[in-house]
Amino acid sequence: MQNVDYMLELKGISQRYGNTVVVKEMSLSLPRGSIGCLLGPSGCGKTTALRCIAGFEQVQAGEIVLDGRSVAKPGLHVAAEQRRIGMVFQDYALFPHLNAAQNVGFGLTGSRADNARRVAEMLELVGLSDYAKLYPHELSGGQQQRIALARALAPRPKLLLMDEPFSNLDVALRERLCGDVRDILKHEGATAILVTHDQDEAFMIADVIGVMNEGRIQQWDKAYNLYHLPANRFVADFIGEGVFLPGTVLDDQRVEIEIGVIEGEFDAPCACGCAVDVLLRPDDIIHDDESPLKAIVREKAFRGAQILYTLQLPSGAEMLSLVPSHHNHAIGEPIGIRLASDHIITFRAADAASGACCDA
Ligand code: ADP
């Protein structure tokens, strides 16, 4: 196997407030130059994990290795200011009495000429060269966040940590800034970790995403795999949309559900005859007027180019289908559908007797 050069490694770190363990045996490895993301619902421990990495919290178990050097483990705590980690927060945290250029140059320790060059370079990188002399209150939220990013990157930190950096911005601006931030980080060759509860942000920016729940990383993976190969039900539920339908495994390539047989690669080896729940994404169900298989429209959500239909099967089970929006059907109308799934994601049936089916 190739030797990967990791900028950050968490090795089973745990962090507790009082008696409550907030981060539980968390491990991840982030290659140099990569953008990672901790994604999860509010309160799952993302910010606490980030604070441990930054050095604001002392870990109670495990080890943090930054650029090949241990910076935290029980009995060792390298101070935050010695870790060379940059931070960007939700509220920008710019110095109000310093102009944009002075904010960007704040943490620089080189010669005057070197600092001025670096400030100019960073302002250009974030597209705000013309705003150097303006004060934070004269800048929009998006511009302030770009200055905060330029300030954090200017001293060339080993690692950049971003805690919900876009949550104060409106949706359109957030989308644009997400793309820009990714370009800026890649241009700088920065290694970064973003914390967010918003999967669209995570998908737009990150190379690798850790889905967190109750203090644990459930899956540390690429966005594609989180969606198509979720490691467990939590990830399957949290990422994207979908429903679970009961099914029966026929063999190692086929599973039968109410609307037919899905053939494809199984995510997990599975014994025949097992009762499973099969994950169906809205793109696994195609609307087809010619299909003899019908389902009744129960709900519809207009999404511009597409409509997300909630469809009811004869058994009463519901599933989702994403359909081009010129196929505009009424609630209560039966429409033709067919299966278009070629991979099979199953989990142990929720109501299966213990040990009666595979451990998927
Ligand atoms: P997230 O960033 O995922 O929203 P946090 O890491 O902020 O989650 O918080 C995780 C849990 O730890 C929450 O239940 C929160 O109430 C608790 N918590 C966070 N900071 C402290 C603190 N300083 N003292 C006690 N509990 C805290």
Side-chain angles (χ1 to χ4, degrees):
M1 221 179 90
Q2 226 182 338
N3 244 352
V4 183
D5 180 16
Y6 292 117
M7 179 57 93
L8 176 72
E9 289 171 273
L10 303 188
K11 300 180 178 179
I13 65 163
S14 294
Q15 167 69 22
R16 142 166 66 81
Y17 293 119
N19 287 331
T20 313
V21 186
V22 174
V23 172
K24 297 171 187 160
E25 296 163 11
M26 182 169 169
S27 296
L28 61 83
S29 301
L30 186 64
R32 195 179 295 273
S34 294
I35 306 172
C37 174
L38 299 178
L39 171 69
S42 180
C44 73
K46 307 180 294 293
T47 296
T48 304
L50 212 63
R51 290 176 57 79
C52 291
I53 298 168
F56 301 141
E57 303 286 348
Q58 231 158 324
V59 296
Q60 280 128 13
E63 184 181 15
I64 302 176
V65 178
L66 180 66
D67 199 12
R69 179 175 157 234
S70 185
V71 293
K73 58 185 172 185
L76 171 79
H77 181 79
V78 174
E81 59 277 14
Q82 283 162 18
R83 294 191 187 186
R84 284 195 51 203
I85 288 178
M87 296 209 62
V88 176
F89 303 96
Q90 164 177 348
D91 58 2
Y92 326 131
L94 295 177
F95 303 114
H97 58 290
L98 299 182
N99 68 29
Q102 289 165 334
N103 262 286
V104 174
F106 184 80
L108 296 179
T109 52
S111 69
R112 257 178 101 113
D114 283 350
N115 292 355
R117 212 173 301 123
R118 182 68 176 154
V119 168
E121 184 184 23
M122 293 316 296
L123 284 173
E124 190 179 342
L125 183 62
V126 299
L128 291 175
S129 299
D130 295 341
Y131 297 75
K133 296 274 181 320
L134 297 191
Y135 285 82
H137 72 271
E138 298 173 293
L139 300 169
S140 71
Q143 289 166 341
Q144 289 185 54
Q145 199 51 302
R146 284 166 194 268
I147 294 296
L149 180 64
R151 181 180 62 181
L153 287 173
R156 297 190 174 86
K158 289 176 189 287
L159 181 67
L160 178 74
L161 303 178
M162 300 180 285
D163 193 355
E164 301 271 5
F166 309 109
S167 46
N168 279 345
L169 306 172
D170 66 62
V171 176
L173 181 60
R174 194 185 305 177
E175 266 185 30
R176 216 171 49 235
L177 199 55
C178 275
D180 290 352
V181 166
R182 183 176 163 86
D183 292 346
I184 290 165
L185 295 178
K186 289 296 171 190
H187 184 274
E188 272 288 291
T191 312
I193 294 192
L194 165 77
V195 154
T196 182
H197 63 277
D198 181 322
Q199 54 183 283
D200 293 335
E201 265 175 44
F203 289 170
M204 272 188 275
I205 293 192
D207 299 308
V208 58
I209 298 167
V211 177
M212 282 186 75
N213 187 36
E214 295 181 349
R216 288 186 197 278
I217 292 201
Q218 307 291 317
Q219 188 170 355
W220 174 250
D221 217 329
K222 295 185 173 137
Y224 182 94
N225 289 348
L226 295 177
Y227 187 78
H228 290 291
L229 294 170
N232 57 37
R233 271 177 196 266
F234 179 83
V235 177
D237 255 345
F238 191 77
I239 299 290
E241 290 162 313
V243 296
F244 293 100
L245 284 192
T248 307
V249 177
L250 300 179
D251 55 40
D252 61 2
Q253 298 265 310
R254 296 181 308 151
V255 64
E256 184 168 31
I257 57 174
E258 181 178 349
I259 52 174
V261 173
I262 308 177
E263 289 191 38
E265 291 297 315
F266 259 97
D267 58 321
C270 191
C272 296
C274 288
V276 289
D277 287 338
V278 182
L279 173 65
L280 285 178
R281 298 292 195 192
D283 44 316
D284 292 333
I285 309 294
I286 303 256
H287 168 43
D288 177 359
D289 285 323
E290 307 300 315
S291 172
L293 190 62
K294 305 286 179 203
I296 296 182
V297 175
R298 282 293 169 226
E299 281 173 40
K300 53 193 280 195
F302 187 70
R303 295 194 174 173
Q306 291 162 317
I307 296 175
L308 181 70
Y309 284 105
T310 302
L311 302 172
Q312 191 177 42
L313 298 174
S315 68
E318 290 190 342
M319 57 190 192
L320 303 170
S321 178
L322 207 49
V323 175
S325 69
H326 51 268
H327 292 271
N328 191 10
H329 295 282
I331 288 177
E333 195 182 326
I335 65 171
I337 52 161
R338 66 186 159 78
L339 264 173
S341 186
D342 60 358
H343 54 271
I344 307 171
I345 308 294
T346 59
F347 296 102
R348 173 194 276 269
D351 57 356
S354 137
C357 80
C358 61
D359 224 356

